[in-house]
């Protein structure tokens, strides 16, 4: 919420300077994001009247003007502005003036012609660029000789307040003023007298409401016979600009002004363009509406609209339609002001890619008692500026559907218990009187009735918060907190995620955090078989699918780094993936995953390192490190897989007890360009629950008897996976301790369709020395098992 400080001080003006006002607002929970002066520092700039103008004798682009500044004698000023004309009121910097940037105006000669001052454009006096190439022109009624700072009210600041969602009552100058009054106890007064300009002539527009729960209050009236050429006065334009809004036309500016001043959205329709009754209803599925910003939207049946017999003419509480908009040719206007329920408006603007000041307020809540006051204020401003005849106000109100004020019990004991300080009853009552609460004394404390604009009040703690922020959190005593903390012991069978992260960091990885929302196209490319959930109101069009794998985010991070000349990347991420539920089309199952990706050289360039690119086995080593930490390496198998995201010849599924818990491998070559990366990228992801649960090591005695080692080389078909050979060799035996691969050979002496896999068998008995016959018998069993299961022959 951005507003003019001087506008606020018309409602309440504590004896604080701008900085103190900002600090007090922040301490009261209305955090001030920024304070900016509305103009730069300048002096001795006055309103001037261009009396005459003639061409410079020696310069085609310069003019010699005579300017009246109210001192009796005109000033001769040489001016190069394209838009200077006789009769204009302009900003004239006299000799001795000091402009922003420490620029001083002195007597000068320009091409031989004396110049006694300077005619200024907007930026030359520190005002925002008004888009005009030349002088900043003032209204015709600007008093000659008056200081421009006083005339334009430039000793002012724009204050930007970042409001929390629960403080929708402060989305107006009036709302901010109420809070300033409460925290400062400065007088609060409405700076205008509310008068009704409604006449006796009946409103010619029929109003029909289909659902009073969605729209419990709707007011409207017709204005005719006004001056269609009337323009927005300077003071109103200034307040709109200092609140971050651009002046457009008188009708739009008045509705925006009332929105900023009182917090009530309004709209105006061209009466001649309305066809039949004004209807507040839900849209028909597929009904179309062209909004004021010329965007055509297709409406869903859950969208509340304002319509006539021709169809939807406005998105209720969000934006009006183009077909009934007010233009310069409009001669009759239908002003409307309504209260819409929050639930009927929330999310609709985002659904259609819109965001307006109106929707922002209705989504957070608007005072249901405000429409009458806001309509009166808008009509008074309009008729004061443009004249016209106002009809009677037609109103449809369903009191039963309007929000009701909350009555909440506040106990004295709760105040001291929660805030740690005893506050006098009179102080508590004074605080809530300034906050405009209704107060009823009880034995235990009070019954507080919240005003209609404080719909965020629901429980006793909301009242405690009000006391704390108005009394001043900085005024509460500092008391030490006694909160003994006990840390729960981590069971030995569980492993902390941070331990896995540290292990990856020690292996050269960097952690990244990516969005859970990814581009739908990339989601389909990486995991075409996995059903995914689409976000109804995405942040952007390329972030509307909820990820079913960590790979898109990791690949996007790699592409980002590669595009910035970082060819060697090693990254990991821990986060959730989302699988669409079969039973519920809108629901998703969340599964924590840990994943990583590597690309580029194995090690940073150096004289002591081999210059080679990473490969599948480098990634496998990193994955095995994680498995080894949970003592599950021996229980998890690496099996060939056919994942569409991975290279079919360099990929593997991690399988535990017949269930896939992860995948790893090289990014499929066909996806390299599509994902925006380059080189061979190797990736993995594993379910966190499969590696955060550890097998608790069990101690056993070390055998004191000698160990026997046998090396066996098997010849198997090239298509046979080494894992299957290991499964065949690992026969059930009390003396076979380990089986390890020490060589894989292809070449001379081996058929082209075969490979030789050499294994080391470590054999040992726990209680005695083994005999050769026992070892030979075990080897025979292993050879037989290998031949029967994978057709392996001893080389």
């Amino acid at each position: 919420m951005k507003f003019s400080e001087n506008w606020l001080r018309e409602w309440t003006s504590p004896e604080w300077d701008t900085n103190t006002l900002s600090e007090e607002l922040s301490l009261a929970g209305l955090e001030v994001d920024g304070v900016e002066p509305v103009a730069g520092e300048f002096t001795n700039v006055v309103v001037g009247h261009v009396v005459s103008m003639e061409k410079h004798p020696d310069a085609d682009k310069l003019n010699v003007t005579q300017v009246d500044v109210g001192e009796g004698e005109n000033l001769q000023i040489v001016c190069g502005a394209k838009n200077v004309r006789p009769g204009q009121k302009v900003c004239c910097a006299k000799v001795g003036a000091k402009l922003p940037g420490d620029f001083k105006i002195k007597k000068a000669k320009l091409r031989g012609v004396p110049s006694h001052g300077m005619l200024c454009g907007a930026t030359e006096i520190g005002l925002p660029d008004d888009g005009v190439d030349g002088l900043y022109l003032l209204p015709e009624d600007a008093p000659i000789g008056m200081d421009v700072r006083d005339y334009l009210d430039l000793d002012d600041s724009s204050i930007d307040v970042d409001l929390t969602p629960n403080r929708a009552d402060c989305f107006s100058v009036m709302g901010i003023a109420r809070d300033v009054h409460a925290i400062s106890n400065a007088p609060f007064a409405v700076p205008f007298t509310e008068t009704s300009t409604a006449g006796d002539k009946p409103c010619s527009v029929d109003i029909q409401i289909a659902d009073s729960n969605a729209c419990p209050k709707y007011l409207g009236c017709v204005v005719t016979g006004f001056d269609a050429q009337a323009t927005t006065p300077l003071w109103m334009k200034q307040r709109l600009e200092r609140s971050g809004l651009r002046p457009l036309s008188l009708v739009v500016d008045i509705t925006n002004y009332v929105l900023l001043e009182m917090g009530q959205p309004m709209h105006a329709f061209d009466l001649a363009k309305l066809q039949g009754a004004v209807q507040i209803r839900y849209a028909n599925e597929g009904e179309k509406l062209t909004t004021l910003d010329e965007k055509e939207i297709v409406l869903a049946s859950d969208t509340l609209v304002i319509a006539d017999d021709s169809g939807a003419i406005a998105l209720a509480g969000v934006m009006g339609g183009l077909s009934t908009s007010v233009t310069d040719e409009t001669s009759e206007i239908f002003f409307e002001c309504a209260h819409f329920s929050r639930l009927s408006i929330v999310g609709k603007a985002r659904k259609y890619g819109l965001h307006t000041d109106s929707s922002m307020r209705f989504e957070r809540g608007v005072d249901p008692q405000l429409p009458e006051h806001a309509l009166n204020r808008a009509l008074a401003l309009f008729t004061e500026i443009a004249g016209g005849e106002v009809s009677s106000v037609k109103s449809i109100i369903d009191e039963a559907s309007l929000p009701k004020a909350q009555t909440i019990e506040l106990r004295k004991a709760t105040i001291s218990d929660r805030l740690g300080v005893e506050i006098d009853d009179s102080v508590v009552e004074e605080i809530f009187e300034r906050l405009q609460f209704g107060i009823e004394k009880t034995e235990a404390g009070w019954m507080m009735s919240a005003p209609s604009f404080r719909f965020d009040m629901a429980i006793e703690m909301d009242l405690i918060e009000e006391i704390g922020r108005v009394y001043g959190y900085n005024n509460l005593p500092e008391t030490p907190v006694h909160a003994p903390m006990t840390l729960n012991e981590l069971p030995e069978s569980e492993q902390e995620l941070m331990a896995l992260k540290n292990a990856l960091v020690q292996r050269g990885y960097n952690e990244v955090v990516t969005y859970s929302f990814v581009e739908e196209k990339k989601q389909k490319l990486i995991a075409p078989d996995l059903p995914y959930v689409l976000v109804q109101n995405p942040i952007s069009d390329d972030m509307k699918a909820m990820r079913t794998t960590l790979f898109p985010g990791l690949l996007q991070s790699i592409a980002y780094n590669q595009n910035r000349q970082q060819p060697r990347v090693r990254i990991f991420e821990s986060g959730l993936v989302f699988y669409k539920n079969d039973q519920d089309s809108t629901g998703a199952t969340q599964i924590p995953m840990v994943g990583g990706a590597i690309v580029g050289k194995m090690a940073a360039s150096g004289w002591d390192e081999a210059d080679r690119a990473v490969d599948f086995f480098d990634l496998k080593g990193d994955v095995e490190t994680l498995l080894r930490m949970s003592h599950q390496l021996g229980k998890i198998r690496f099996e060939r897989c056919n994942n569409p995201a991975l290279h079919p010849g360099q990929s593997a599924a991690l399988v535990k007890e017949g269930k896939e818990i992860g995948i790893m491998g090289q990014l499929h070559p066909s996806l390299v360009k599509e994902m925006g990366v380059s080189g061979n990228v190797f990736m993995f992801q594993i379910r966190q629950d499969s590696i955060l649960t550890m097998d608790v090591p069990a101690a056993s005695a070390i055998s004191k008897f000698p160990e026997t080692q046998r090396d066996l080389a098997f010849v198997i078909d090239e298509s046979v996976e080494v894992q299957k050979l290991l499964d065949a060799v690992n026969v059930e035996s009390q003396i076979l301790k380990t089986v390890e691969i020490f060589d894989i050979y292809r070449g001379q002496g081996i058929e082209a369709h075969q490979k030789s896999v050499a294994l080391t068998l470590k054999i040992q008995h726990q209680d005695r020395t083994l005999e050769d016959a026992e070892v030979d018998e075990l080897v025979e069993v292993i050879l037989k098992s290998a031949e029967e299961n994978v057709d392996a022959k001893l080389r």
Side-chain angles (χ1 to χ4, degrees):
M1 172 68 191
K2 194 174 183 181
F3 58 91
S4 158
E5 180 184 351
N6 286 353
W7 192 3
L8 172 70
R9 289 186 181 276
E10 286 188 359
W11 292 77
T12 184
S13 185
E15 295 180 355
W16 295 335
D17 60 18
T18 303
N19 288 335
T20 304
L21 174 63
S22 301
E23 290 174 3
E24 292 296 333
L25 282 171
S26 294
L27 288 172
L30 307 181
E31 182 180 356
V32 175
D33 268 357
V35 179
E36 296 179 356
V38 299
E41 288 294 329
F42 64 84
T43 59
N44 208 18
V45 179
V46 299
V47 178
H49 178 234
V50 181
V51 178
S52 64
M53 179 187 76
E54 58 184 26
K55 282 290 182 182
H56 192 290
D58 293 326
D60 294 338
K61 295 184 178 181
L62 297 179
N63 296 296
V64 180
T65 64
Q66 299 296 322
V67 182
D68 180 8
V69 293
E71 296 180 351
E73 185 176 346
N74 295 338
L75 300 180
Q76 177 173 289
I77 299 176
V78 178
C79 178
K82 296 179 181 180
N83 65 336
V84 63
R85 299 289 185 274
Q88 293 173 334
K89 295 289 181 67
V90 295
C91 299
C92 178
K94 299 191 295 185
V95 173
K98 185 176 180 180
L99 301 183
D102 201 23
F103 182 66
K104 296 179 180 179
I105 302 299
K106 302 176 182 178
K107 291 181 180 180
K109 281 188 177 183
L110 298 178
R111 294 288 184 94
V113 177
S115 182
H116 302 279
M118 174 181 171
L119 303 185
C120 303
T123 56
E124 289 165 329
I125 55 175
L127 292 175
D129 187 358
D130 58 355
V132 177
D133 184 14
L135 301 180
Y136 182 77
L137 302 179
L138 301 173
E140 294 180 359
D141 60 354
I144 297 173
M146 184 176 182
D147 191 300
V148 167
R149 294 198 73 88
D150 295 333
Y151 177 69
L152 295 179
D153 191 23
L154 298 182
D155 292 322
D156 189 11
S157 298
S158 286
I159 300 177
D160 192 1
V161 176
D162 185 13
L163 297 173
T164 52
N166 65 312
R167 292 310 308 274
D169 61 299
C170 289
F171 269 113
S172 65
V173 174
M174 180 173 66
I176 297 287
R178 283 191 298 244
D179 250 37
V180 172
H181 160 67
I183 61 179
S184 68
N185 203 20
F188 174 87
V190 179
F192 56 87
T193 302
E194 183 176 334
T195 57
S196 175
T197 58
D200 298 328
K201 183 179 179 181
C203 177
S204 60
V205 178
D206 186 25
I207 301 171
Q208 300 172 1
I209 299 177
D211 186 350
S212 58
N213 288 321
C215 178
K217 179 180 287 190
Y218 193 92
L219 313 176
C221 68
V222 173
V223 182
T224 58
F226 55 86
D227 180 7
Q229 306 305 314
T231 59
T232 307
L234 179 62
W235 62 268
M236 185 178 290
K237 287 182 178 180
Q238 290 175 334
R239 289 183 173 180
L240 292 173
E241 289 170 344
R242 294 170 192 181
S243 301
L245 295 182
R246 182 168 59 93
L248 296 172
S249 65
L250 178 61
V251 175
V252 174
D253 292 346
I254 285 177
T255 56
N256 283 339
Y257 183 85
V258 174
L259 172 79
L260 291 170
E261 184 177 56
M262 307 182 78
Q264 173 66 49
M266 297 180 61
H267 190 62
F269 297 98
D270 187 328
L271 182 64
K273 297 177 182 177
L274 292 177
Q275 301 178 31
V278 170
Q279 308 153 30
I280 297 85
R281 60 170 173 82
Y282 283 99
N284 300 317
E285 188 69 35
E287 190 173 3
K288 294 183 178 180
L289 169 68
T290 302
T291 56
L292 286 172
D293 58 359
E294 301 184 3
K295 177 181 178 181
E296 184 179 79
I297 58 178
V298 180
L299 301 169
S301 59
D302 64 344
T303 303
L304 192 68
V305 298
I306 300 172
D308 62 8
D309 292 347
S310 67
I313 57 175
L315 203 60
V318 179
M319 184 181 288
L322 186 64
S323 63
T324 56
S325 61
V326 175
T327 64
D328 293 340
E329 287 73 38
T330 299
S331 60
E332 296 177 309
I333 296 175
F334 175 63
F335 277 98
E336 62 95 36
C337 192
H339 179 78
F340 299 108
S341 70
R342 295 171 64 184
L343 292 179
S344 65
I345 304 299
V346 67
K348 298 303 184 294
R350 291 189 298 276
K351 182 174 183 176
Y352 298 108
L354 303 171
H355 178 75
T356 64
D357 290 328
S358 176
S359 66
M360 181 173 61
R361 284 164 173 80
F362 275 125
E363 285 180 348
R364 288 161 175 77
V366 176
D367 182 0
Q369 304 303 321
L370 198 54
E372 291 86 351
H373 305 288
L375 184 59
N376 284 338
R377 175 63 167 156
L379 292 173
L381 288 169
F382 185 80
T383 53
E384 179 183 341
I385 298 168
E389 181 183 357
V390 183
S391 73
S392 63
V393 175
K394 181 171 288 188
S395 61
I396 298 180
I397 303 173
D398 183 357
E399 293 288 349
S401 299
L402 285 172
K404 301 298 186 294
Q406 292 283 341
T407 300
I408 309 166
E409 182 182 12
L410 175 62
R411 294 164 295 178
K412 300 175 185 178
T414 308
I415 298 175
S416 58
D417 180 55
R418 297 297 183 177
L419 297 180
V421 62
E422 296 287 345
I423 300 178
D424 290 342
D425 292 358
S426 59
V427 174
V428 173
E429 292 173 3
E430 184 182 350
I431 287 173
F432 283 102
E433 284 174 0
R434 295 202 299 268
L435 291 170
Q436 301 183 29
F437 278 67
I439 305 172
E440 181 183 341
K441 192 90 171 176
T442 65
E443 185 176 344
W446 303 268
M447 295 300 294
M448 298 292 185
S449 299
S452 58
F453 54 83
R454 290 306 301 270
F455 28 77
D456 58 316
M457 295 290 104
I459 60 176
E460 186 178 24
M461 286 310 302
D462 293 328
L463 301 177
I464 298 296
E465 181 182 358
E466 291 301 294
I467 296 173
R469 69 184 194 86
V470 175
Y471 184 80
Y473 292 121
N474 54 331
N475 294 324
L476 298 178
E478 295 183 7
T479 53
V481 176
H482 298 284
M485 298 178 63
T486 57
L487 298 177
N488 295 328
E489 293 184 1
L490 187 70
E492 192 176 359
S493 61
E494 293 182 17
Q495 181 171 215
E496 289 184 327
L497 179 61
M498 184 57 69
L500 299 178
K501 291 183 177 183
N502 287 337
L504 289 170
V505 169
Q506 289 167 5
R507 295 183 72 85
Y509 283 76
N510 291 292
E511 185 175 10
V512 297
V513 178
T514 65
Y515 283 106
S516 298
F517 313 115
V518 299
E519 186 177 349
E520 186 177 10
K521 177 184 176 182
K522 292 184 178 180
Q523 173 65 46
K524 290 180 178 179
L525 288 172
I526 289 291
D529 300 329
L530 291 177
Y532 55 89
V533 176
L534 285 176
V535 180
Q536 291 185 356
N537 303 303
I539 300 172
S540 63
D541 192 55
D542 60 351
M543 297 178 67
K544 63 181 181 181
M546 298 185 75
R547 65 187 181 190
T548 59
T549 169
L550 299 178
F551 291 162
L554 293 171
L555 290 170
Q556 185 176 1
S557 297
I558 286 178
Y560 183 90
N561 281 273
Q562 288 182 333
N563 291 337
R564 286 156 182 77
Q565 292 79 48
Q566 298 296 322
R568 181 178 182 269
V569 183
R570 300 172 72 87
I571 56 176
F572 77 92
E573 178 178 15
S574 61
L576 296 173
V577 300
F578 307 87
Y579 295 146
K580 191 173 183 179
N581 293 338
D582 295 333
Q583 298 83 4
D584 182 4
S585 61
T586 61
T589 301
Q590 303 180 127
I591 300 178
M593 291 280 191
V594 59
I598 58 175
V599 66
K601 295 180 180 180
M602 175 56 190
S605 299
W607 62 269
D608 60 339
E609 293 288 346
D611 189 11
R612 70 169 182 85
V614 294
D615 58 24
F616 176 86
F617 296 102
D618 293 322
L619 184 72
K620 186 180 179 185
D622 296 334
V623 172
E624 287 181 341
T625 296
L626 300 181
L627 302 180
R628 194 172 285 112
M629 290 178 64
S630 57
H631 307 290
Q632 301 208 39
L633 181 58
K635 292 186 176 182
I636 294 178
R637 298 163 49 84
F638 291 85
E639 296 184 357
R640 186 191 302 273
C641 71
N642 187 21
N643 190 292
L646 303 177
H647 191 299
Q650 296 201 45
S651 59
L654 281 67
V655 179
K656 179 181 179 182
E657 297 175 355
K659 182 180 178 181
E660 183 178 303
I661 63 165
I663 55 172
M664 59 169 289
Q666 180 185 337
L667 177 65
H668 199 290
S670 65
L671 298 180
V672 170
K673 185 176 180 181
E674 295 283 356
M675 304 308 293
V677 298
S678 60
N680 295 332
V681 181
F682 296 89
M683 310 177 294
F684 76 89
Q685 76 170 15
I686 310 173
R687 291 177 61 117
Q688 289 184 22
D689 56 5
S690 65
I691 52 178
L692 291 180
T693 301
M694 298 193 303
D695 288 344
V696 179
S700 60
I702 300 174
S703 177
K704 60 182 179 180
F705 299 97
E707 177 185 87
T708 300
Q709 181 173 309
R710 294 288 177 91
D711 294 339
L712 302 177
F714 292 95
V715 177
I716 58 176
D717 193 82
E718 186 67 53
S719 63
V720 176
E721 299 172 15
V722 174
Q723 182 66 54
K724 291 184 178 179
L725 174 61
L726 292 174
D727 292 341
V729 169
N730 272 293
V731 298
E732 188 174 342
S733 172
Q734 293 184 348
I735 62 174
L736 180 60
K737 298 302 181 183
T738 62
V739 179
E740 297 177 354
I741 303 172
F742 71 87
D743 185 42
I744 297 179
Y745 172 75
R746 299 174 180 88
Q748 186 176 0
I750 303 296
E751 297 291 337
H753 65 280
Q754 293 181 326
K755 59 187 173 185
S756 171
V757 181
L759 307 176
T760 293
L761 312 180
K762 293 184 178 179
I763 307 167
Q764 187 181 37
H765 199 286
Q766 185 70 24
D767 302 322
R768 58 183 173 80
T769 301
L770 288 171
E771 297 180 0
D772 289 341
E774 292 176 288
V775 176
D776 293 341
E777 182 181 353
L778 174 61
V779 171
E780 287 298 326
V781 172
I782 290 173
L783 294 175
K784 183 178 180 181
S785 175
E787 183 176 7
E788 290 177 349
N789 286 284
V790 294
D791 195 23
K793 303 288 193 259
L794 191 63
R795 183 179 171 190

